[in-house]
Amino acid sequence: MGRGVLLTSNLPQLQNLIKRDAPAYKEEFLQQWNHYSSIRQIFQINPDENAQHFRELVSFIAQVSQCYPKETADFPSQISTLLLESYGTLSPDTRRSLLQNLVMLRNKEVITSITLLQTLFPLLPKTTSSSLRGFIRKTILSDIRTANLRTKNHKLNRAVQAMLFGMVERGMDTEVVGDKGKLKAAAGPGNNGEEAMWAVVLTKELWRKGIWNDAKTVSIIALGCFHPAVKVQSASLHFFLGSDEEKEDSDDEEEDIPDVKALQHRREINKKTRSGDKKLRKMEKAVKSKKKKRAENVTANFPAIQLLNDPQTFGEKLYDILNKYDKRFSLDHKILLMQLLSRVMGGHKLCVLGFYTYIMKYLTYHQLRIPAILVALAQSVHDFTPPDALTPVVRKLAQEFVHPGVGSEVIAAGINAIREVCRRQPWSMEEDLLGDLIGYRKSRDKAVTAAARGLLQLFREVNPGMLKRRERGKEASMGMAKGSQPLPFGHSVQAAVDIEGLVLLEDHLKKLREEDGVASGDEEEDNEAAWEGWDVESDSDESSDGWVNVDSDSDEDLEVSDSEDEEDKRIKKGKRKSKSGEDDEEGKDTEADGSAQETAEEAAQRISSLATTKILTPADFALLNDLRIKAASEAVERGAGSGAKRKLASLESQKKSLLSADTALADTFISEDDILGPRKKVKADYAERIASIEKGREGREKYGSLKGKKNKAAPSSSTNREKARNKPLMMIIASGAVKGKKKASLRQKQQKLRAHIERAKKAHH
């Protein structure tokens, strides 16, 4: 093909030829490059002139830039400068074209991800078009996800996190406006925190997709909790509380929940088949399970709260904002701050004593959203909270919520709140007040009775000495008779010397070895197999090809072995040492029951040596949990108390999640239902009853009887003859016609008989 066709207006043809043979068409490309440079200078002065031709030249150079890297070295920086400096004067089509070409250069690896993101991040607050904003957001997320797909790209992550930190920090020196009052009305549009808002939104999205899960990510959003803009604060608080409502904009590959009403309407119109009914029922069941699963997923963000850097300072800053700008924030925003502060205090066992003084002014039964405030109060308490700071709070709760002048729902909520506070710090309760609260267990209301009994059961477990003798119960009285006393405030339990329930695992493994006869060499293979499926990918920067030889300080080498032969030797030595002790125990058992088995108390006091002779795998811990559940269920079957039942329930909940840290933190948090307790259904008024009746009539035929309408063309009721035929026998006996027949004279009977004969004759003719 001749070169005469290579005109300026035929850029696609020239682009095709350059991609086939770049050196042969270098002169033609340089002509277009010089033409682009002149057009760009004119475009910077007057963006409306030759805009279409400029976009075509930019697309052409972006397509062939990898063929001439030296000549087009400044091309990406020129596009970025044009976007950042002249973004407001560019037309929407030009903005989109320049952005798409810049993304194309990144896909062709002409520029790096950092160069692209340095251009895209400042454009997010400036963009007013929703479609272009969505394109920029999707590009940023997909680029970071692709870079971290196989391994963590720490260089890119550090650079992007530094940019996000800068976006949040740039508006931190302004005044806190709040979301109510005169300052909000007088505030201009400049202090809206758009840049910081986008930084928080992108960070939350990267965390939710699992791309970032480190402490630096949490630090970015933790900084957003102290931003002067209220919407930035609210978005950051929702991240830690786990109540995000921004998932509709995400490009996640989650399935959309189908519209059940539309499916039912289509089912009524289409042909009725059994398979269609079956599919509809299956779809309704799937939708119900999805909605239930989605509702259960709205929980607190436990890992983010645990990854906070310096949680004590974080909690104190939250309290300072809450206390200093109390009149500038609305009640809903203050409750968000209270909830996050209480969860940080409960999760990290912090002491921010001013919080209890601040929250006391909200502890009234007529306060709006008082259940959420009571939840925040209960979650902030832990076993290190001083009882002196909590005693006035408990007394205020009892004075405001628990008295005859309020409703039963208020009394139940007050007692439940006091119970949750005392569950975490029992020494905050006074003995006289406890006796008054327990007296409500004789109330006629079910919720109040349940709350008072729960408080009584709590103190039977933690401190029965504060109860009267007749209220302690059998187990608590026996424990006090044995001399068991609760630990005073500030005293800790003894140091752990063993893993709880490890004796059960040791006995189980010993029994299996005796039954199967496993050799000592096979045990190492079993240990290696037990790690399969439990390995966690390491995110460290360094990788090692093998073991590193470390010189020993002593001449003798350290020998570590967990083989069965050495374990049997240790067991035999232990048997020789404890032989005389076992003979004495057997004699005692023979005198008592004649049984040679250990009691449950002796098994619990025995210390296992398995942890010092074997590396426990995750499979071993899963088996240990199963054995503890089995032992707890057997104890419940033998008639153990409520403590054994609660222990069984906690073990079963731990089985669902092997992450003990999250489980322990989840036990710290409560919901509003725990405060309100069981509530009876309120009686519906007239309007609600009518609405329920109308809703029940939807989708069925007109209200009325269907008798006599089945085989008739025109709808009508049944005849009197049909009604008389269907009357009950007792009604017929008591009717006037039957009684008249019984009282008829002989003459009347003859007349009726003669008339019957005449009608029969006429019928035959």
Side-chain angles (χ1 to χ4, degrees), residues 69-206:
K70 293 183 180 180
E71 289 78 2
T72 61
D74 297 334
F75 177 69
S77 61
Q78 293 172 359
I79 300 297
S80 300
T81 305
L82 189 62
L83 279 171
L84 294 174
E85 295 180 356
S86 306
Y87 187 82
T89 58
L90 298 177
S91 64
D93 294 336
T94 306
R95 295 172 186 171
R96 179 173 287 275
S97 177
L98 294 178
L99 280 172
Q100 289 175 347
N101 288 308
L102 200 62
V103 174
M104 184 194 305
L105 292 175
R106 169 67 191 107
N107 295 335
K108 293 177 179 292
E109 296 184 354
V110 177
I111 59 176
T112 61
S113 294
I114 298 177
T115 306
L116 175 65
L117 295 176
Q118 285 175 346
T119 306
L120 294 182
F121 274 122
L123 296 180
L124 271 175
K126 300 178 181 179
T127 306
T128 56
S129 172
S130 59
S131 60
L132 189 59
R133 189 166 56 239
F135 171 74
I136 296 174
R137 177 179 178 178
K138 186 176 180 180
T139 303
I140 292 173
L141 294 175
S142 60
D143 191 67
I144 298 176
R145 176 194 287 176
T146 306
N148 292 274
L149 195 59
R150 293 186 178 179
T151 56
K152 294 289 184 182
N153 191 341
H154 296 284
K155 182 180 179 181
L156 174 65
N157 293 340
R158 283 194 294 267
V160 175
Q161 287 168 352
M163 285 188 279
L164 294 174
F165 265 116
M167 293 172 68
V168 178
E169 286 177 343
R170 272 191 280 275
M172 294 292 292
D173 54 350
T174 57
E175 186 182 4
V176 177
V177 177
D179 55 350
K180 72 172 187 176
K182 297 180 180 179
L183 283 176
K184 181 185 178 183
N191 190 22
N192 51 8
E194 286 290 337
E195 194 175 15
M197 185 66 189
W198 276 111
V200 171
V201 168
L202 291 174
T203 308
K204 289 165 64 175
E205 195 72 17
L206 291 168

Side-chain angles (χ1 to χ4, degrees), residues 165 169 172 176 219 221-227 233 237 308-326 329 333 337-338 340-342 344-345 350-355 358:
F165 265 116
E169 286 177 343
M172 294 292 292
V176 177
S219 299
I221 305 181
L223 185 63
C225 294
F226 312 121
H227 198 274
Q233 272 192 26
L237 295 173
L308 281 171
N309 183 27
D310 193 4
Q312 180 69 38
T313 305
F314 179 79
E316 290 176 355
K317 287 183 178 180
L318 277 180
Y319 170 68
D320 291 340
I321 290 176
L322 190 62
N323 190 30
K324 186 177 180 181
Y325 304 106
D326 179 63
F329 293 141
H333 191 73
L337 288 168
M338 289 182 196
L340 179 56
L341 176 57
S342 65
V344 173
M345 290 172 64
L350 309 179
C351 289
V352 184
L353 301 181
F355 175 68
Y358 170 82

Side-chain angles (χ1 to χ4, degrees), residues 570-588:
R570 285 189 290 269
I571 293 173
K572 290 178 180 178
K573 291 179 180 178
K575 286 183 178 179
R576 293 192 196 102
K577 292 179 180 179
S578 60
K579 188 173 181 181
S580 59
E582 288 180 356
D583 294 339
D584 297 339
E585 290 179 359
E586 287 178 2
K588 294 179 181 178

